[in-house]
Amino acid sequence: MVESSGASLLVASNRGPVSYAVRDDGGLDARRGGGGLVSGLSAVKGDGGALWVCAALGDGDREAVRRGVGEPGVRMLGIEPDVFHDAYNGVANSVLWFVHHMLYDIPVSPVFDAGFRRRWAAYEAYNRAFADALADGAAPGAAVLVQDYHLCLVPGMLRERRPDLRIGHFTHTPWAPPEYFRLLPDDIAAALLRGLLGADRVGFHTRRWAEAFTACCRDVLGEEYARGERATRVDVHALGADAGFLRERSRRPDVAERMAALRTQVGEADREVVVRVDRTEPSKNIVRGLLAYRRLLERWPEWRGRVVKLAFAYPSRQDLAVYRDYTAEVRRLADEINESYGTDGWQPVVLHVEDDFARSLAAYRLADVALVNPLRDGMNLVAKEIPVVSDDGCALVLSREAGAYADLGEDALVVHPYDVEATAEALHAALSMPRDERARRTKRLAAAATALPPQEWFLAQLNALRG
Ligand code: G6P
């Protein structure tokens, strides 16, 4: 039944724009998140009523749903905790994340057993909850933008319920090539693709991921895809950095305070500063980044005492052992480098693990060299943010496997992320680069990084969908 009222624009994503925490006195604190999607959606506020459908992620969110507390324009789904856990951790962040970033240790994993089938059923139920909420909240002919690998089945499910809607889906991760995608059981590989093909338009950050997706459709679905009962257009929209927001935010006093604290940790004023900022998870390749830094100190001893690496590795998805173990390995290796090379007045690696956006911006401003070396990455906004915020110019060492490489490859020092020796060489070249060349490149990088800022990125998708 199509309702006569409802939103004309809907967004669906696992993580929403707001989260809640229960205070000691039992009250609820709301925290608005940042990020491209949040600032992108602000472009369409007042657009005949927009609705953002998201999941309740933790106890605070679930309590808010139970008490009926919420923000206008946001509908948080109180999905049953076990179902949420199996869908989010058991399928999305282990299996789908691992497939698209090609992270499996193939001789031992993946194993698709009865337990996995149970988790897959939860993924279906979780996607159904989103499709139901969207079907319920959408005005006739509304535009719906579904985000990411958590919600691959939603477009197909929603299409069945509401054929009148314009449906878009955007994938923020890479897309695996067919040989790797076909590690998934056949029925599940087909279900994921059919789910996405329920959309009118599907989007990716680069041509490379878009082409991998269509190759998977051809390979897995064969004739069925070629007949194309529903023609789904595949688009490329490369999300850019939000220059206005970043420049204003990075000039605030809390960032200046963090800069002073970081300068103290770096020590002598003329030391070079290498910066990396990541959520700590295996695709970010933090361990090989540390190995390359250790190799730099070994092969070019002149850098000892003359460089400090600021590594901010914010914990992510710690319910999963594989992410926790990776975080532990990052800590272990940072300690080992400090023990082998550190002296009384010099700590070669300064590792911070607690999330602090102001401190990340402070490091962006101070960086002489930025290291962004993911194994694979849908885009990687850190690579785009640093040149925008940099005070004096910063050389960017960038993995060719990051989506950002398509936009920034010309002015970055490009590395093969598995090649530790070549990464050490790139760090040496970046540290040795004359200041004026760093500054020139940073200017060009900043221009390329801001070509499609979040609001325009969002509107481009919306216009294509409504077109
Ligand atoms: C990636 C995904 C996003 C996700 C983010 C943080 O960028 O593409 O969908 O929100 O990681 O991960 P989390 O699991 O904490 O939401």
Side-chain angles (χ1 to χ4, degrees):
M1 223 341 239
V2 177
E3 293 182 357
S4 56
S5 64
S8 59
L9 169 63
L10 298 92
V11 173
S13 63
N14 175 66
R15 187 175 286 281
V18 64
S19 64
Y20 296 91
V22 184
R23 288 194 305 264
D24 289 345
D25 67 5
L28 283 173
D29 276 335
R31 223 188 100 190
R32 278 200 85 76
L37 208 55
V38 176
S39 68
L41 189 70
S42 66
V44 290
K45 281 255 171 74
D47 179 304
L51 177 67
W52 193 323
V53 178
C54 57
L57 301 184
D59 293 342
D61 287 359
R62 273 191 280 274
E63 190 54 25
V65 173
R66 211 183 52 77
R67 293 185 199 174
V69 171
E71 293 224 348
V74 178
R75 168 133 190 242
M76 207 174 242
L77 304 178
I79 293 163
E80 215 238 303
D82 287 351
V83 172
F84 176 77
H85 173 77
D86 282 347
Y88 173 70
N89 288 313
V91 175
N93 288 333
S94 39
V95 177
L96 301 183
W97 186 267
F98 274 57
V99 167
H100 290 312
H101 291 85
M102 300 173 64
L103 293 175
Y104 280 123
D105 186 3
I106 300 284
V108 287
S109 68
V111 174
F112 297 118
D113 54 7
F116 171 70
R117 289 285 165 178
R118 178 178 52 77
R119 293 188 284 279
W120 174 255
Y123 183 82
E124 290 174 316
Y126 156 94
N127 273 253
R128 216 173 292 124
F130 272 82
D132 288 342
L134 293 164
D136 191 47
V144 185
L145 288 166
V146 182
Q147 307 297 313
D148 235 348
Y149 58 98
H150 315 87
L151 302 176
C152 290
L153 306 180
V154 166
M157 291 172 167
L158 187 56
R159 170 76 53 208
E160 269 180 29
R161 290 164 177 65
R162 292 287 304 270
D164 61 301
L165 301 178
R166 302 290 296 164
I167 305 171
H169 185 280
F170 196 94
T171 296
H172 293 264
T173 62
W175 195 273
E179 298 75 15
Y180 206 90
F181 188 71
R182 292 181 67 160
L183 286 177
L184 290 167
D186 292 342
D187 59 321
I188 287 173
L192 289 164
L193 297 172
R194 285 190 192 116
L196 289 174
L197 292 171
D200 297 287
R201 328 259 320 194
V202 296
F204 297 89
H205 285 304
T206 72
R207 173 104 355 249
R208 185 175 169 200
W209 314 141
E211 283 171 0
F213 170 73
T214 48
C216 285
C217 289
R218 276 195 301 274
D219 208 51
V220 173
L221 301 177
E223 264 301 290
E224 174 188 335
Y225 177 62
R227 276 198 313 275
E229 283 168 26
R230 276 204 57 80
T232 301
R233 287 273 308 266
V234 180
D235 301 314
V236 176
H237 301 287
L239 176 61
D242 190 342
F245 165 75
L246 287 167
R247 293 205 175 109
E248 188 277 319
R249 182 67 188 83
S250 64
R251 264 29 197 194
R252 291 210 205 141
D254 59 341
V255 175
E257 270 167 38
R258 306 299 197 279
M259 284 173 82
L262 290 175
R263 281 203 182 98
T264 307
Q265 290 183 309
V266 168
E268 292 165 26
D270 61 348
R271 280 182 180 146
E272 297 286 315
V273 178
V274 177
V275 168
R276 77 169 306 143
V277 176
D278 308 90
R279 284 181 306 101
T280 305
E281 50 98 352
S283 73
K284 301 297 180 188
N285 206 22
I286 304 168
V287 168
R288 284 189 194 77
L290 284 166
L291 293 174
Y293 182 69
R294 184 171 72 185
R295 178 65 178 143
L296 171 89
L297 299 177
E298 183 186 63
R299 188 167 153 195
W300 290 278
E302 64 267 32
W303 289 119
R304 295 182 199 166
R306 304 258 46 85
V307 62
V308 171
K309 179 168 181 173
L310 300 179
F312 300 170
Y314 301 139
S316 175
R317 307 174 189 161
Q318 296 290 295
D319 286 342
L320 286 167
V322 58
Y323 291 76
R324 285 199 302 275
D325 294 348
Y326 192 76
T327 309
E329 179 58 12
V330 167
R331 285 181 194 267
R332 195 197 60 72
L333 190 54
D335 287 346
E336 192 187 290
I337 295 171
N338 285 334
E339 271 160 35
S340 320
Y341 287 98
T343 60
D344 279 349
W346 174 54
Q347 186 178 331
V349 182
V350 174
L351 176 69
H352 284 292
V353 293
E354 56 309 324
D355 197 346
D356 181 344
F357 185 54
R359 191 182 50 210
S360 299
L361 292 174
Y364 288 3
R365 286 184 58 184
L366 288 175
D368 297 299
V369 172
L371 176 59
V372 181
N373 67 325
L375 297 175
R376 275 166 80 81
D377 207 328
M379 171 51 75
N380 197 300
L381 276 181
V382 171
K384 290 191 164 181
E385 289 168 353
I386 291 182
V388 173
V389 170
S390 168
D391 275 0
D392 299 321
C394 169
L396 174 64
V397 176
L398 178 64
S399 166
R400 69 181 194 198
E401 304 300 319
Y405 164 73
D407 302 322
L408 307 179
E410 274 179 35
D411 284 294
L413 296 163
V414 177
V415 290
H416 177 324
Y418 293 88
D419 191 340
V420 168
E421 193 67 18
T423 306
E425 285 164 7
L427 286 173
H428 176 61
L431 287 164
S432 310
M433 191 185 282
R435 297 221 153 259
D436 55 343
E437 188 184 341
R438 266 188 212 164
R440 266 199 308 277
R441 288 189 189 226
T442 303
K443 253 191 159 163
R444 289 194 297 259
L445 286 167
T450 52
L452 193 63
Q455 297 200 355
E456 285 177 32
W457 170 83
F458 191 85
L459 287 175
Q461 287 175 70
L462 194 58
N463 291 339
L465 191 60
R466 284 177 169 161

